Amino acid sequence: LGGHNPLIVTGTAELDRAVEAAYAGAFWSAGQKCTATRRILVKEAVYDDFRDRLLARVAAGKVGDPTDPETEVGPLVGESARDEVLDAIERGRDEGGTVLAGGERGDGEGFLVPPTVFEGLADDAHLSCEEVFGPVTALYRFATLDEALTRANAVEYGLSASIFTRDLHAVQRFSEELQA
């Protein structure tokens, strides 16, 4: 089983760097890696700005033929993998999540699913708790570092985790308390 690898973005983070890391972590290798970023927890004060920057980055990315050097997100390994990812996306919608980008079968040849970004998922929603081995991630707001750490630790598997901040205290707490 893969993990639900959180990326935490605090109010002091360099947002452009955090966005690029979130994009690469969630979508490179078409999200087909056990350390893919599945949950992006963002401090309320910078949430809207981060979301807008991430969506602009997703829109600027190229999905398609993996032999094209411009392609950033290639196909999934097969038809059944693509269908499982699309089913998980539909379940996310059914559970009240809002798709901000992607969420449909990709255009072109191959088993493509464009980078998909959710928001509004409950912490106990399927996409919040179960691995989706594809280019799918979700945004979550948090008010305090305590809340972010608690929510990040609330899943069974966490293989990797990251934090973007300029706050040394937050880094120390993250390194001591995050279970990954």
Side-chain angles (χ1 to χ4, degrees):
L1 289 174
H4 306 287
N5 311 301
L7 182 146
I8 297 173
V9 181
T10 72
T12 63
E14 293 181 35
L15 293 186
D16 288 335
R17 287 183 178 190
V19 163
E20 195 57 40
Y23 182 87
F27 305 128
W28 284 4
S29 301
Q32 299 173 107
K33 54 187 178 174
C34 294
T35 56
T37 302
R38 297 292 173 221
R39 296 177 304 134
I40 305 170
L41 295 98
V42 183
K43 177 79 173 180
E44 289 174 338
V46 297
Y47 182 90
D48 292 337
D49 191 10
F50 179 89
R51 179 189 59 210
D52 292 346
R53 291 179 194 211
L54 179 62
L55 294 176
R57 177 64 179 93
V58 167
K62 183 172 180 189
V63 178
D65 180 353
T67 63
D68 179 343
E70 299 294 314
T71 295
E72 294 176 316
V73 181
L76 295 165
V77 298
E79 183 177 11
S80 64
R82 182 203 55 212
D83 293 346
E84 287 176 18
V85 170
L86 292 173
D87 288 347
I89 291 168
E90 192 57 36
R91 184 169 178 180
R93 285 186 175 108
D94 291 345
E95 292 181 338
T98 300
V99 174
L100 301 176
E104 303 294 334
R105 183 180 308 231
D107 295 331
E109 293 185 38
F111 306 111
L112 299 172
V113 176
T116 299
V117 180
F118 270 91
E119 78 176 349
L121 287 167
D123 285 341
D124 62 351
H126 177 78
L127 288 176
S128 299
C129 300
E130 298 295 328
E131 178 68 57
V132 176
F133 217 58
V136 180
T137 195
L139 297 171
Y140 304 84
R141 295 176 190 264
F142 72 86
T144 67
L145 185 59
D146 285 337
E147 176 191 350
L149 291 169
T150 297
R151 291 171 76 188
N153 286 334
V155 295
E156 188 172 358
Y157 298 101
L159 300 178
S160 67
S162 54
I163 186 168
F164 279 78
T165 187
R166 292 184 192 144
D167 179 346
L168 182 57
H169 176 71
V171 171
Q172 290 171 324
R173 290 212 38 219
F174 175 85
S175 67
E176 292 169 4
E177 297 176 33
L178 196 95
Q179 300 167 6

